[in-house]
Amino acid sequence: MERVGKWLGRPREIYNLLRFKMGGGAAVMPPLDQDALSDGLKTCYRYLNQTSRSFAAVIQALDGELRHAVCIFYLVLRALDTVEDDMTINLETKVPMLHDFHSYLYQPDWRYMESKEKDKQVLEDFPTISLEFRNLAKVYRDVIADICHKMGAGMAEFLEKKVDTQHEWDKYCHYVAGLVGIGLSRLFSASELEDLIVGQDTELANSMGLFLQKTNIIRDYLEDQLEGREFWPREVWSRYAKKLSDLTKPENIDVAVQCMNELITNALHHIPDVLTYLSRLKNQSVFNFCAIPQIYRKVPSTDPSSNKTQQIIVSIRTMSLPNGVEVSRNHYSPIYLSCAMLLAALSWQYLSAMSKASEEYVQASEN
């Protein structure tokens, strides 16, 4: 569960994806006024810099009280994730902790001093985080506690369970990223910086999280293999290999790419929802997408997923072309280009990394 919340794990990318303003170049992130913060909030932002430096920059771009709410949201989930990741905690202790973690937010003295994880400070000084949580407005507290409760239950469910089916893949991604997307969306609306529909439409927010999570899982195949983790659904990869690790072998490069393409096609199903979600954000500027059609022509007809991939791209083109169906008036974002670049990068990165690391992987396995 180390990849909890890629919404939060790749913060600058998500910030530029959600809040990018065309014509102004990269988003400008104003400095945080340390003098205006309480000692507790100063500590929280210090922990934020220690655990995810780039996410601290994203928070500095948020307005008013939303800034602090998202900071605390991040730290609470980081603490929860630290419990889940700590393999020195036995299951008899860990499972109840995951289920009960949301309740610790209202226990001023709760802390955990036995973690061996690198981010253990967020557990050892959890009273500071929980105090600042309780200082937030109720609308923010309710969202954070609810997401923490649901995510803790999901983590407990997948502790001893592998991702076998595509349905379980969606469920896993929901727990680790979809819930983060839902939580952030509800915080956006609670702050009144975005309309109520952004937080109310949990299906779109979940789909946004699933898209981001799946692309990272696909991209991180080799890294996960080398570290003994598997997140690709067995239902898919078993059609191409006897073991997931077999896809690292150079002689299996063709079927490996076909397997990857099937997973990419699965992730592409979320893009219409992503576009609809982004179209609702009030601060989005127009961005006319032009790269998806080029990719459409490059999908190899011999690939088993080519028909499904092309059908999905046709639907995306319909949403983005001038004569297509408009999702919302004049609100599109760089997600169009991001999706195209992502697909190209996934293919290039996978092929390059696989040829480079496969020999090392095989040698490590033999040793």
Side-chain angles (χ1 to χ4, degrees):
M1 197 69 66
E2 293 181 1
R3 49 182 80 255
V4 159
K6 288 298 185 179
W7 279 71
L8 302 184
R10 304 186 74 75
R12 186 174 296 274
E13 294 175 15
I14 303 310
Y15 173 78
N16 286 328
L17 181 130
L18 290 177
R19 313 295 300 176
F20 191 90
K21 206 167 185 178
M22 292 305 297
V28 177
M29 300 182 181
L32 189 65
D33 184 2
Q34 292 286 336
D35 294 336
L37 301 180
S38 66
D39 289 341
L41 275 176
K42 288 179 182 177
T43 300
C44 287
Y45 279 100
R46 176 161 53 84
Y47 292 153
L48 188 66
N49 277 287
Q50 292 172 352
T51 57
S52 182
R53 189 167 301 168
S54 56
F55 192 68
V58 179
I59 287 182
Q60 292 180 57
L62 297 174
D63 293 330
E65 59 187 17
L66 178 62
R67 174 182 296 177
H68 304 321
V70 176
C71 173
I72 301 304
F73 183 46
Y74 175 87
L75 291 177
V76 168
L77 296 189
R78 175 56 57 206
L80 176 65
D81 192 39
T82 301
V83 170
E84 198 282 336
D85 283 342
D86 195 332
M87 302 307 294
T88 67
I89 306 175
N90 60 55
L91 292 182
E92 291 75 16
T93 301
K94 182 181 293 189
V95 171
M97 282 181 69
L98 293 175
H99 280 290
D100 296 340
F101 202 86
H102 65 104
S103 68
Y104 303 152
L105 292 167
Y106 296 97
Q107 298 178 27
D109 297 326
W110 187 90
R111 69 178 75 225
Y112 186 75
M113 302 298 294
E114 300 176 28
S115 176
K116 308 301 181 184
E117 289 291 295
K118 60 182 177 63
D119 294 331
K120 63 181 181 179
Q121 69 269 32
V122 295
L123 290 173
E124 295 176 347
D125 193 18
F126 197 74
T128 296
I129 298 171
S130 67
L131 174 62
E132 293 306 325
F133 163 82
R134 294 189 297 276
N135 286 337
L136 294 173
K138 186 176 184 300
V139 289
Y140 299 127
R141 297 200 306 269
D142 289 347
V143 171
I144 296 171
D146 180 53
I147 297 299
C148 182
H149 188 186
K150 293 174 179 175
M151 187 175 287
M155 287 177 168
E157 178 181 338
F158 276 90
L159 274 178
E160 298 182 287
K161 179 179 178 181
K162 286 191 175 182
V163 178
D164 286 329
T165 67
Q166 293 184 68
H167 173 74
E168 289 175 341
W169 199 36
D170 281 355
K171 192 174 184 180
Y172 170 78
C173 290
H174 164 72
Y175 285 138
V176 302
L179 283 173
V180 182
I182 291 171
L184 286 173
S185 300
R186 290 170 60 186
L187 292 177
F188 295 159
S189 292
S191 70
E192 299 184 356
L193 293 178
E194 297 294 348
D195 294 333
L196 286 176
I197 188 62
V198 173
Q200 291 172 342
D201 197 335
T202 56
E203 183 176 347
L204 288 188
N206 182 65
S207 199
M208 186 80 173
L210 262 61
F211 174 71
L212 296 169
Q213 186 72 14
K214 287 178 179 180
T215 56
N216 280 282
I217 287 176
I218 296 168
R219 181 203 62 196
D220 291 342
Y221 165 79
L222 272 176
E223 176 185 338
D224 289 336
Q225 278 293 300
L226 292 170
E227 296 185 14
R229 302 190 300 260
E230 293 187 357
F231 295 99
W232 283 23
R234 177 185 295 272
E235 180 182 353
V236 174
W237 64 256
S238 63
R239 290 196 284 269
Y240 300 91
K242 292 183 178 180
K243 296 186 299 182
L244 182 56
S245 59
D246 288 344
L247 297 179
T248 62
K249 298 176 180 178
E251 63 267 26
N252 293 330
I253 188 169
D254 290 338
V255 293
V257 172
Q258 290 173 5
C259 180
M260 180 189 68
N261 286 342
E262 182 171 344
L263 294 178
I264 289 175
T265 300
N266 178 292
L268 282 172
H269 279 93
H270 299 292
I271 292 182
D273 282 350
V274 169
L275 298 180
T276 302
Y277 177 93
L278 292 173
S279 73
R280 290 174 173 171
L281 298 178
K282 294 186 295 187
N283 293 327
Q284 289 296 296
S285 296
V286 178
F287 189 88
N288 192 13
F289 177 64
C290 62
I292 284 290
Q294 296 175 9
I295 286 183
Y296 178 85
R297 289 192 294 270
K298 293 181 179 179
V299 175
S301 59
T302 56
D303 190 275
S305 301
S306 61
N307 288 337
K308 290 182 179 179
T309 305
Q310 290 172 346
Q311 289 172 8
I312 296 168
I313 292 176
V314 166
S315 69
I316 297 168
R317 291 177 63 188
T318 301
M319 299 180 72
S320 62
L321 292 173
N323 295 327
V325 178
E326 291 189 5
V327 178
S328 181
R329 176 172 54 90
N330 293 332
H331 290 290
Y332 291 103
S333 87
I335 187 62
Y336 295 115
L337 184 57
S338 299
C339 292
M341 295 296 289
L342 177 63
L343 292 173
L346 279 171
S347 300
W348 179 86
Q349 189 174 41
Y350 182 85
L351 292 172
S352 300
M354 186 168 66
S355 62
K356 179 180 179 181
S358 58
E359 291 185 6
E360 297 178 6
Y361 181 83
V362 172
Q363 291 174 0
S365 300
E366 292 176 347
N367 295 332

